[in-house]
Amino acid sequence: MPELPDVEGFRRVLAEHAGKRIEDVVVHDAQVLRGVSAQRLRKSLTGQRFEPPRRLGKWLIAPVGGRPETLVLHFGMTGSLSTGPPHRHDRVVFRMAGGELRYRDMRKLQGLRLLGESGLEELLAGTGPDALEVPKGRFRELLPARRQLKGALTDQAVLSGLGNLLADEILWRAKLNPRTPAGELSPAEVDRLHARMRSTLRTAVRAGRVPPRASWLTGHRDEPSGACPRCGTALRHGRTGGRGTVWCPRCQPG
DNA sequence: CGGACTCCCTGGCAGC
DNA sequence: TGCTGCCAGGGAGTCC
């Protein structure tokens, strides 16, 4: 499921098409359009060009040259942006001078927005710093003391880009229990969490996704009796904030 | 305030 | 074989 590393990959796909003329926008399923009609989207984009896109957390932000509007994409759980062959879950297709760009999303939990200046400002104001970019000093300050660690990491208003799987992976690497109140961490533990978050994200961004490696926790979370890739202890499964949570009781006591 | 819960949405799968 | 119901989780919203 798309988290920060996947969205960074989609950003690169879109970046390759920046500056090319948008010939047409074909909306196959208007259910993914949020606050914009198919007609307005088409009118606003056709004949224009995307400026170089940026990413904040899981948001992909593409200003439209020649217009005061910005296309903002979110990929929910099952979304993607690609130039590959057509697929039945392609919801919106951008016909560009250099090929077709496909917004694909099976479950339609999120979608596309076309925001003006104030709408974009509002969106960005409600989104915390990017998990890949946030410096150590800022990271120390932003974790709300009275919250469970995992809930804080996955709250996009606190820190943006981490989803359920990456949060578990990072906490496992930092050897911290998901339910630990953030305020109970020592300064050294906060620094370790920041360091593990950065290294995990850097590796995943290079791969364009969370890599399917046996040495990562993520690959073992769906195994009924999965073992910790580090110490072999049986992994524990629970729920945090309504989401499945996997951790090693030996590496991550608490 | 924070945490638990529900809802949206679809496809895959277990169980009958 | 085919039905039903549950599960996955990003994010918004509600309730306590």
Side-chain angles (χ1 to χ4, degrees):
Chain A
M1 41 227 61
E3 301 183 60
L4 187 155
D6 311 81
V7 180
E8 180 59 22
F10 305 148
R11 188 194 64 77
R12 288 177 194 155
V13 170
L14 186 52
E16 284 169 23
H17 291 260
K20 294 178 181 169
R21 187 171 186 274
I22 303 165
E23 308 288 355
D24 199 5
V25 179
V26 183
V27 176
H28 292 295
D29 190 337
Q31 230 180 320
V32 299
L33 303 183
R34 305 292 167 113
V36 60
S37 67
Q39 194 182 26
R40 186 165 78 85
L41 185 73
R42 192 175 178 210
K43 270 194 169 170
S44 298
L45 296 188
T46 302
Q48 309 296 335
R49 293 149 208 271
F50 289 122
E51 289 177 9
R54 62 195 172 104
R55 181 191 57 73
L56 177 64
K58 303 174 196 172
W59 295 107
L60 179 53
I61 300 161
V64 183
R67 306 273 312 179
E69 290 155 322
T70 299
L71 181 71
V72 178
L73 305 92
H74 197 295
F75 300 91
M77 258 188 85
T78 53
S80 67
L81 190 71
S82 72
T83 54
H87 186 275
R88 68 196 182 98
H89 293 139
D90 291 342
R91 310 301 187 187
V92 177
V93 176
F94 303 93
R95 295 209 171 125
M96 318 282 294
E100 292 190 339
L101 210 50
R102 311 172 174 284
Y103 176 82
R104 184 171 304 170
D105 191 6
M106 182 177 79
R107 289 187 203 174
K108 301 184 280 188
L109 288 172
Q110 289 295 321
L112 273 52
R113 291 163 170 80
L114 191 65
L115 301 178
E117 203 176 320
S118 64
L120 184 62
E121 216 169 282
E122 199 179 317
L123 176 88
L124 299 181
T127 304
D130 188 82
L132 187 61
E133 310 288 338
V134 64
K136 193 190 277 183
R138 178 108 189 261
F139 184 72
R140 288 184 189 135
E141 294 161 9
L142 62 81
L143 287 180
R146 306 210 312 269
R147 290 193 56 179
Q148 297 181 151
L149 217 37
K150 181 172 177 183
L153 289 183
T154 54
D155 185 341
Q156 306 299 298
V158 173
L159 181 73
S160 65
L162 303 184
N164 194 47
L165 273 55
L166 263 176
D168 280 0
E169 184 74 45
I170 290 162
L171 288 168
W172 174 73
R173 282 159 181 266
K175 300 188 175 179
L176 295 169
N177 189 278
R179 291 199 129 101
T180 308
E184 288 181 12
L185 297 190
S186 68
E189 285 174 323
V190 176
D191 287 358
R192 191 169 80 222
L193 178 58
H194 180 259
R196 292 303 102 215
M197 178 174 80
R198 299 220 6 135
S199 61
T200 305
L201 286 173
R202 273 201 306 270
T203 305
V205 163
R206 226 175 293 131
R209 59 173 173 155
V210 172
R213 292 183 194 162
S215 60
W216 285 48
L217 177 72
T218 305
H220 303 273
R221 59 181 300 127
D222 293 331
E223 296 166 4
S225 53
C228 172
R230 194 163 42 208
C231 75
T233 303
L235 293 171
R236 292 277 274 275
H237 297 256
R239 287 192 94 72
T240 316
R243 299 290 182 253
T245 297
V246 179
W247 74 100
C248 171
R250 184 168 169 202
C251 298
Q252 302 165 269

